[in-house]
Amino acid sequence: MNEINHSRVSEFILLGLSDDPDLQPLFFVVFSLLYIAIVMGNFLIILTVTSDPRLHSPMYFLLANLSFIDICVASFATPKMIADFLVEQKTITFEACLAQIFCVHLFAGSEMVLLVSMAYDRYVAICKPLHYMTIMSRRVCIVLVIIPWCVGFIHTTSQLAFTVNLPFCGPNKVDSFFCDLPLVTKLACIDTYVISLLIVADSGFLTMSSFLLLVVSYTFILITVRNRSSASMAKARSTLTAHITVVTLFFGPCIFIYVWPFSGYSADKVLAVFYTIFTPILNPAIYTLRNKEVKTAMSKLKSRFLKSGQVSAIIRNVLFLEHK
């Protein structure tokens, strides 16, 4: 035991997306712009929902929380990945590696359950419209946001329990841009076949159970929408399309990575980029481009803060300070 502790790995080497030095500057620029777009886009949704009283409804409250989680999903590994494009040796400490594992399962698990909460909100709104405001009270909305974080915390704690006590005394190269749990587990100095199965079972159970709940919810909703042909149902169809698109984009890569048998990690690396980068940037685009209320609120927010007079005043003040 003392020998294992003495030779314990203190840091891991992240191999990143590519070992081609000519691609590093290009990746740095592209992913920097994407990360800025993610933060600004999702923050804009949060700001719009909180500042416009007409958007103070359960659906937009849950949407704002989804945007917050998307910022978290994009931020647990992307800033380090961007910084690593500028260095040759991409290292991460053992503690920071565990922190990344904790964060990815916390945020991803929370987002899965939050999408179920959003599906429940749409189910009540479309299938029980007369009782919507009674059922979706402020207290219920808060509970629907707290439950995802609790489930995500329980999930990530159980996942981290598989890793924290593993002996790492040899290989320390992780073939990814962040510490992905299956990849880190394979570096342990013991046979991790059983642990890998437990990891797959844990993540697979949460992923598939959330996905099945979403399928059942949206099946009931689609049947209700199909049987009704009013103008309100037309609006519901548009909102429903956005929800189903987001669910498909998020759960597709997750199911492939954690439910499909571990085989090609090069494909997993691409999918990891998809759900940590592209899904968080697609969510605000999908919801805003298909939602007239959000676009109208954003236009008013823009006119409020970006009036020509205010912009020119800010520019004059900046130039005055520079000359001064």
Side-chain angles (χ1 to χ4, degrees):
M1 184 71 181
N2 292 331
E3 183 179 352
I4 293 177
N5 288 335
H6 178 72
S7 59
R8 183 173 181 176
V9 171
S10 60
E11 65 179 17
F12 293 97
I13 298 175
L14 302 174
L15 300 183
L17 295 179
S18 173
D19 57 358
D20 188 348
D22 296 332
L23 291 177
Q24 305 301 313
L26 176 63
F27 283 159
F28 174 80
V29 174
V30 171
F31 285 101
S32 295
L33 294 176
L34 287 174
Y35 181 66
I36 292 172
I38 290 170
V39 175
M40 293 184 63
N42 284 285
F43 178 74
L44 181 59
I45 288 181
I46 297 172
L47 182 62
T48 302
V49 171
T50 54
S51 62
D52 195 322
R54 291 176 302 178
L55 299 183
H56 292 175
S57 64
M59 182 180 76
Y60 295 112
F61 174 72
L62 295 173
L63 176 59
N65 280 274
L66 177 65
S67 293
F68 175 74
I69 293 182
D70 278 336
I71 293 175
C72 295
V73 169
S75 298
F76 83 92
T78 306
K80 174 163 178 56
M81 177 185 68
I82 294 172
D84 284 344
F85 289 136
L86 302 178
V87 298
E88 182 177 353
Q89 191 78 354
K90 304 172 178 58
T91 60
I92 183 171
T93 64
F94 181 81
E95 292 75 15
C97 184
L98 292 182
Q100 284 192 343
I101 294 174
F102 178 86
C103 289
V104 64
H105 289 280
L106 171 64
F107 300 141
S110 300
E111 183 159 353
M112 289 180 190
V113 184
L114 183 62
L115 289 173
V116 176
S117 298
M118 296 177 72
Y120 174 74
D121 169 72
R122 290 302 84 203
Y123 167 78
V124 176
I126 295 174
C127 300
K128 300 182 180 180
L130 298 179
H131 304 283
Y132 178 69
M133 295 309 300
T134 303
I135 297 175
M136 294 299 296
S137 62
R138 183 179 183 86
R139 181 179 179 181
V140 171
C141 291
I142 294 175
V143 171
L144 289 177
V145 170
I146 293 177
I147 288 177
W149 285 105
C150 292
V151 173
F153 180 79
I154 294 172
H155 168 64
T156 193
T157 302
S158 64
Q159 292 288 72
L160 201 62
F162 296 132
T163 311
V164 67
N165 291 321
L166 287 177
F168 296 95
C169 53
N172 67 338
K173 293 183 179 180
V174 181
D175 189 14
S176 184
F177 60 92
F178 71 96
C179 286
D180 198 6
L181 182 57
L183 295 175
V184 174
T185 303
K186 289 175 70 68
L187 299 177
C189 299
I190 61 173
D191 183 8
T192 58
Y193 177 76
V194 175
I195 294 177
S196 296
L197 289 180
L198 292 174
I199 291 171
V200 172
D202 191 346
S203 294
F205 175 77
L206 177 60
T207 302
M208 292 306 298
S209 59
S210 300
F211 185 71
L212 290 176
L213 284 173
L214 287 166
V215 170
V216 171
S217 300
Y218 285 123
T219 300
F220 279 110
I221 296 172
L222 289 172
I223 293 173
T224 303
V225 171
R226 183 180 179 182
N227 294 334
R228 300 177 187 177
S229 58
S230 62
S232 60
M233 288 299 104
K235 180 181 177 181
R237 290 188 192 97
S238 177
T239 303
L240 198 59
T241 302
H243 280 246
I244 294 176
T245 303
V246 169
V247 167
T248 304
L249 290 173
F250 182 81
F251 276 89
C254 289
I255 291 175
F256 187 89
I257 291 174
Y258 287 104
V259 178
W260 198 265
F262 296 149
S263 55
Y265 282 106
S266 59
D268 288 354
K269 193 184 297 187
V270 174
L271 291 171
V273 172
F274 188 86
Y275 77 77
T276 56
I277 302 292
F278 290 102
T279 300
I281 200 174
L282 288 174
N283 284 356
I286 291 170
Y287 281 115
T288 54
L289 291 177
R290 299 188 61 89
N291 193 304
K292 293 182 179 179
E293 293 179 344
V294 175
K295 288 192 290 185
T296 302
M298 284 185 176
S299 298
K300 292 185 177 181
L301 188 67
K302 178 182 177 181
S303 62
R304 186 190 309 173
F305 291 102
L306 297 178
K307 292 180 180 179
S308 58
Q310 292 182 350
V311 173
S312 60
I314 293 173
I315 294 175
R316 286 197 302 270
N317 290 335
V318 171
L319 293 175
F320 174 75
L321 291 175
E322 288 181 353
H323 287 302
K324 185 176 180 180

